[in-house]
Amino acid sequence: TTAMTAKRQKIGVLEEKPQEEVKLKLYHGTSWNRALSILRDGFIESSDGLLGRGVYLAREDKARRFAANRTRHGGLEGGLVTVLAFYKSAKFVKSDDKVWLQEGYDACRADTTTSSPNMEWCIASREQCQVIAVEKIPIDEYGAPLELVPTSDILDVYLLDDMPVYKRPEYPCGLDENKTILTAGRILQIRYPLPDNGAYPFIYVNDKALRFWPLADNSGWIINDTNNNSSLHFLSENKLIITNISNQSMKLLSCPVLSNNQNGAKFNPGETAIVNASYLTRSVGNEIIHFYLFDDGSGWLSHADTASSIKVEVYDKDAEIQVRKRLAEIESEKIKLEEVIGIYDTRRKNEARRASEIQEFKARQAEIAEAKRRAEEEAMREAARKKAAAEKAARIEQKRAARGRYHVFFLVGGDHVDDSFDETTTCVATNGESTILLFEHADWAWTSGLPKSLRNKLNGRSRNLPKPTYVALGTEDRYYIRFANGHAQWVGPSSLTKAIKKTSTKVISSFAFGETYETYFIVFTDGWWRYDGDIPEGLVDLIVERNRRADLKQVTLGPDGEWFLEARNGRKWWGGVSDHCAKRIRRIRNRITFLDFGSDDAWYCRYA
């Protein structure tokens, strides 16, 4: 047995597995007008910041505080933007970082920054941010609680809301019965950070995160909802100043009041309040905040020194009564006029809001309709792609079944033929001395003994050249080969060349070389045929018997008078074959798809 002189050619492609995309629901706090602009046009990346260029996002609680704080965005109403952020490679840092973009990341998360103790995200591109919804947020007229970076282990805390205290520090997360309520307006000392791990302990109760703060004297714990940061107000210094002053009337230019019953109430400018002889002062950032206790103990006034919101005046009770009476009359007239104006203004605002809502609704419906149309078109395209792929696969499967998935043979080099053959084999030809196989993906293989001129055409053939699609072999180095561009080459008698050129408008379906050098048989795709030379008598008789019908599909010849014929209706005949061949193919006679012959009684049969 001779060795295989060529191998089937295959191409391998090495692909780098892409990183999986991470989706994260985050929030952005801004004014209502800017929130609507973001919903309509998308984000605009910040040119700079503590995390560099990008879109800045945070958790919901922080974003809500930003949206409620007019001093941060300057709007009349706040807006909370809900965002679905996408990233593949994020950098996680403890504080400020402006080099992550240059390092190849597409997102950065900082545990804190130098301007905030809260977690913050920066997304590299607006294309990574999908706006899910926007929500209108009422403005906090008195400003959001200040975010302070603690500078001491023990800090003062001012209570804006009534808060529970749990008396058992060794049982910090237990909601036990032994608790009391601290009223708003008190100042307590808490320990920060925790001694054991430096973290704020918190648990989830009914989907709410509850945070526990230890008191400095270890007498218990304060608990508050982490989504309600207004309940605790940190003061940056542990300082208390008591100044003895006589009871004074305070004329208010503008000032909020923090009371037990009305957190965040505000006195109108010009009103007068009486405070007692002491007040508390706290340093917060660069401002000094004063807390004045009312005579009746109902609450505190607060102001910054720089705001000059409280002015001390001598109090004249009778004059004050007359002024208040006149002011009440003016106020009554003003209220009546404002009622009329208010009705008209409310109606106008309602109409404008309704028109805006209708416009937004129509725009949203148009977006939904457009998205639905695109989805339907994509679904149709995908269905068409799948259908085309399925039809292509079915056609390939049909061709493979028609060619036959099995073979039986008596050949020189048969082991190599058997190793190379599979269902992708499109063509097999033998002359007894050599066998050649062609495959679906433009590959080929052969055994030794192939005609030298044919071997030279195929050996090392460039992949840029058309690949062979059909081949036939004969003895005496005769062959016929056709390529994918329709061009063919052959070695045979001169009469063969004339016959091929004379029938150049027809497409050859099968080609066979016979016993003598001058013998050949050509079948065309339309069923017509042409032959010359010493054709086996049995084949000629069959053609005459069938009235020379032009309905042939294929014909093969052998060097010792063997022949095989298949008509287009699927019927097959053969003759002149060796006893060995006849015995082997008798059991599969109705399944034969191809039969070829070579010298020294060699033969090859393919069947379904």
Side-chain angles (χ1 to χ4, degrees):
T1 302
T2 58
M4 187 74 70
T5 60
K7 63 179 180 292
R8 297 176 58 186
Q9 303 172 8
K10 297 182 181 294
I11 298 177
V13 179
L14 179 63
E15 295 182 348
E16 182 179 356
K17 184 176 180 181
Q19 292 179 287
E20 295 184 0
E21 188 173 62
V22 180
K23 299 180 180 179
L24 196 63
K25 188 176 181 181
L26 295 170
Y27 301 85
H28 181 79
T30 183
S31 68
W32 177 240
N33 287 339
R34 289 178 185 169
L36 293 178
S37 176
I38 292 172
L39 177 63
R40 181 180 64 252
D41 302 322
F43 282 95
I44 298 176
E45 295 99 343
S46 298
S47 59
D48 195 12
L50 297 178
L51 296 179
R53 181 184 61 81
V55 178
Y56 282 76
L57 304 172
R59 293 196 182 102
E60 183 178 3
D61 55 348
K62 180 176 180 178
R64 281 187 178 274
R65 292 198 307 273
F66 271 54
N69 192 340
R70 178 184 294 172
T71 60
R72 287 188 177 270
H73 55 70
L76 297 178
E77 296 174 299
L80 179 68
V81 184
T82 305
V83 182
L84 188 61
F86 305 84
Y87 68 86
K88 290 185 177 180
S89 177
K91 183 178 182 181
F92 295 85
V93 298
K94 291 187 177 297
S95 189
D96 306 357
D97 189 307
K98 293 189 178 183
V99 298
W100 56 273
L101 273 172
Q102 291 82 353
E103 294 173 344
Y105 296 97
D106 60 357
C108 180
R109 192 200 77 174
D111 294 339
T112 62
T113 64
T114 53
S115 66
S116 172
N118 295 315
M119 182 274 291
E120 192 161 16
W121 278 87
C122 185
I123 308 299
S125 170
R126 56 180 284 176
E127 304 300 329
Q128 298 170 241
C129 302
Q130 177 185 344
V131 177
I132 300 175
V134 295
E135 177 186 349
K136 188 178 292 186
I137 303 297
I139 290 296
D140 181 357
E141 294 292 345
Y142 319 108
L146 296 178
E147 293 182 335
L148 303 175
V149 179
T151 58
S152 172
D153 288 345
I154 298 177
L155 295 175
D156 284 349
V157 149
Y158 180 79
L159 303 184
L160 302 180
D161 296 325
D162 294 350
M163 297 183 66
V165 168
Y166 294 84
K167 291 296 188 65
R168 296 173 61 189
E170 70 277 12
Y171 191 41
C173 294
L175 305 180
D176 60 285
E177 298 283 332
N178 186 15
K179 61 184 178 181
T180 58
I181 300 295
L182 295 179
T183 57
R186 296 185 60 178
I187 295 178
L188 300 177
Q189 288 185 329
I190 67 166
R191 185 181 302 278
Y192 172 93
L194 297 183
D196 54 346
N197 59 6
Y200 307 126
F202 66 90
I203 60 171
Y204 284 92
V205 178
N206 295 330
D207 294 330
K208 279 194 173 185
L210 303 180
R211 183 166 287 165
F212 297 80
W213 306 80
L215 297 180
D217 60 0
N218 294 323
S219 62
W221 296 73
I222 305 174
I223 179 173
N224 77 311
D225 182 351
T226 58
N227 293 323
N228 182 12
N229 290 304
S230 63
S231 57
L232 291 177
H233 192 148
F234 282 86
L235 307 176
S236 63
E237 292 186 9
N238 186 15
K239 181 171 67 175
L240 175 63
I241 300 175
I242 299 178
T243 303
N244 291 321
I245 60 174
S246 60
N247 287 0
Q248 295 288 340
S249 64
M250 297 291 184
K251 186 172 183 181
L252 310 181
L253 303 181
S254 177
C255 191
V257 61
L258 304 174
S259 69
N260 294 338
N261 300 320
Q262 191 175 12
N263 179 23
K266 183 178 180 182
F267 286 127
N268 294 322
E271 291 187 1
T272 300
I274 299 178
V275 300
N276 70 353
S278 65
Y279 63 92
L280 301 179
T281 299
R282 287 291 177 270
S283 298
V284 179
N286 295 324
E287 293 190 11
I288 302 298
I289 306 298
H290 302 275
F291 300 92
Y292 295 88
L293 180 65
F294 282 77
D295 275 347
D296 59 6
S298 61
W300 299 75
L301 297 174
S302 66
H303 76 106
D305 283 351
T306 57
S308 300
S309 58
I310 298 181
K311 182 179 179 181
V312 179
E313 292 182 349
V314 178
Y315 182 59
D316 186 341
K317 184 175 181 179
D318 292 337
E320 180 70 17
I321 292 175
Q322 294 298 321
V323 170
R324 287 184 176 276
K325 182 177 179 181
R326 179 54 186 156
L327 288 176
E329 294 173 352
I330 295 174
E331 186 66 20
S332 177
E333 296 174 356
K334 178 181 176 183
I335 290 173
K336 292 179 181 179
L337 180 60
E338 287 179 346
E339 286 178 353
V340 176
I341 297 174
I343 292 173
Y344 173 78
D345 189 51
T346 301
R347 183 183 302 169
R348 181 181 58 80
K349 289 181 179 179
N350 289 340
E351 290 175 353
R353 183 172 62 253
R354 178 59 179 167
S356 176
E357 291 173 351
I358 292 174
Q359 185 176 0
E360 291 178 4
F361 175 78
K362 289 181 178 179
R364 183 57 181 161
Q365 290 299 107
E367 291 177 2
I368 294 173
E370 177 64 15
K372 182 178 180 181
R373 182 189 65 79
R374 291 178 181 174
E376 290 174 349
E377 288 181 353
E378 181 58 29
M380 292 174 63
R381 286 192 293 269
E382 181 63 21
R385 285 193 292 267
K386 290 182 178 179
K387 181 179 179 182
E391 291 175 349
K392 181 179 179 180
R395 287 194 299 270
I396 293 174
E397 184 65 20
Q398 186 178 9
K399 288 180 179 180
R400 290 175 177 175
R403 290 195 300 258
R405 291 186 168 87
Y406 312 98
H407 64 176
V408 62
F409 50 82
F410 179 70
L411 297 170
V412 175
D415 290 342
H416 297 285
V417 173
D418 193 39
D419 290 341
S420 298
F421 177 84
D422 60 24
E423 64 178 4
T424 67
T425 304
T426 59
C427 181
V428 180
T430 187
N431 61 5
E433 300 172 4
S434 177
T435 303
I436 183 170
L437 301 89
L438 305 181
F439 302 92
E440 286 178 357
H441 302 294
D443 297 334
W444 56 86
W446 66 80
T447 62
S448 62
L450 196 69
K452 183 177 180 180
S453 60
L454 177 59
R455 183 175 67 249
N456 291 339
K457 293 182 186 299
L458 297 179
N459 194 20
R461 185 177 179 85
S462 172
R463 285 195 166 272
N464 295 326
L465 296 176
K467 303 304 184 245
T469 58
Y470 176 79
V471 65
L473 297 179
T475 56
E476 302 181 71
D477 289 339
R478 291 173 295 170
Y479 68 86
Y480 173 87
I481 185 167
R482 185 174 63 239
F483 298 95
N485 61 357
H487 294 171
Q489 296 176 0
W490 59 88
V491 170
S494 58
S495 60
L496 171 62
T497 301
K498 293 178 182 179
I500 292 177
K501 290 182 177 180
K502 189 174 181 180
T503 57
S504 60
T505 58
K506 293 181 177 293
V507 179
I508 294 176
S509 175
S510 77
F511 203 103
F513 294 98
E515 185 174 356
T516 67
Y517 192 82
E518 301 292 334
T519 303
Y520 61 86
F521 200 115
I522 305 173
V523 177
F524 301 99
T525 55
D526 60 1
W528 286 96
W529 42 269
R530 183 185 184 93
Y531 67 82
D532 196 8
D534 191 10
I535 301 299
E537 183 178 348
L539 176 57
V540 174
D541 291 342
L542 177 62
I543 292 174
V544 173
E545 180 183 337
R546 299 183 75 249
N547 298 321
R548 297 181 176 273
R549 286 200 291 256
D551 66 341
L552 302 189
K553 182 178 180 181
Q554 62 175 324
V555 170
T556 60
L557 302 175
D560 296 312
E562 305 96 335
W563 61 272
F564 170 77
L565 182 148
E566 181 182 7
R568 300 177 74 177
N569 61 6
R571 293 195 62 187
K572 306 171 185 71
W573 298 264
W574 58 84
V577 301
S578 65
D579 293 340
H580 177 263
C581 176
K583 183 178 179 181
R584 294 294 302 274
I585 66 176
R586 184 179 297 114
R587 291 174 298 177
I588 58 173
R589 59 181 301 125
N590 295 326
R591 298 157 58 193
I592 295 175
T593 60
F594 176 72
L595 187 60
D596 201 9
F597 311 96
S599 59
D600 299 326
D601 289 335
W603 56 273
Y604 178 88
C605 179
R606 189 170 183 175
Y607 62 97

